[in-house]
């Protein structure tokens, strides 16, 4: 249920039908939920630094009851000139936003994950109020209220409507800073304060 599941979301006449069908509420702490006014909801986002076969950052935005997810090899940049490749990957559960630890060898995504940034987000004024509509159109203007990311970032799908390739870049607003190098300046977890290397070492048997 990757591409198929996502497309069903837009065709279903019941807004939470797919959300419920994908989940076993006796096995997940996620709320069963009800239809709410999206504009009043506080949507979460997380960026996880993932030291796997290749180091990358996983950007996840809450929408439709899940975390839409993109793997960003170079991570976000405050320099609007830096257009960062962001490859869309499978939806993750909301619970995943607080996951930090070591995925053992032999498992999918084996390696170490830290919560690099976390907070609330909203779509910037003047664009679609529903993130799923903006996602379908392939253009999201996202205002982050994080510990590291502030201001507006742009996510744009490239290479056609069925592509998983997007670009992530900073809008040239008051928070833009071409001289900043946020991934180097702030390598630590906002959850534990540890670097990905420290988490990795802390979980390796002596
Ligand atoms: Mn990853």
């Amino acid at each position: 249920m990757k591409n198929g599941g996502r497309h069903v979301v837009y065709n279903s006449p019941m807004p939470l039908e797919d959300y419920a069908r994908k989940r076993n509420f006796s096995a997940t702490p996620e709320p069963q939920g009800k239809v709410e006014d999206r504009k009043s909801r506080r949507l979460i986002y997380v960026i996880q630094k993932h030291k796997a076969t290749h180091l990358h950052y996983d950007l996840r935005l809450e929408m439709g009851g899940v975390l839409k997810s993109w793997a960003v090899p170079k991570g976000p940049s405050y320099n609007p000139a830096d257009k960062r490749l962001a490859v869309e990957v499978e939806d993750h559960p909301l619970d995943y936003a607080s996951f930090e630890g070591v995925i053992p060898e032999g498992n999918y995504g084996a390696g170490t994950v830290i919560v690099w940034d976390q907070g609330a987000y909203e779509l910037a004024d003047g664009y679609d109020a529903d993130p799923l509509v903006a996602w379908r159109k392939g253009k999201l203007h996202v205002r982050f209220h994080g510990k590291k990311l502030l201001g507006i970032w742009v996510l744009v799908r490239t290479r056609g409507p069925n592509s998983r390739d997007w670009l992530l870049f900073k809008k040239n607003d008051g928070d833009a800073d071409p001289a900043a190098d946020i991934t180097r300046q702030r390598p630590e977890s906002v959850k534990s304060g540890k670097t990905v290397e420290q988490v990795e070492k802390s979980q390796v048997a002596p």
Side-chain angles (χ1 to χ4, degrees), residues 124-139:
D125 292 342
Y127 299 93
D128 295 292
D130 183 342
L132 277 171
V133 171
W135 170 84
R136 183 175 53 185
K137 290 179 179 174
K139 193 165 192 180

Side-chain angles (χ1 to χ4, degrees), residues 120-187:
Y121 86 92
E122 66 205 15
L123 295 192
D125 292 342
Y127 299 93
D128 295 292
D130 183 342
L132 277 171
V133 171
W135 170 84
R136 183 175 53 185
K137 290 179 179 174
K139 193 165 192 180
L140 291 150
H141 288 68
V142 174
R143 183 185 296 280
F144 289 122
H145 302 276
K147 295 190 169 74
K148 297 176 184 174
L149 298 193
L150 296 167
I152 299 173
W153 262 260
V154 182
L155 263 170
V156 183
R157 189 189 287 120
T158 62
R159 308 200 307 154
N162 297 317
S163 170
R164 289 178 166 261
D165 289 352
W166 297 62
L167 290 175
L168 171 68
F169 57 92
K170 184 74 189 74
K171 183 182 167 79
N172 197 4
D173 59 14
D175 294 296
D177 183 357
D181 193 347
I182 189 68
T183 57
R184 284 185 184 276
Q185 290 163 343
R186 300 290 305 277

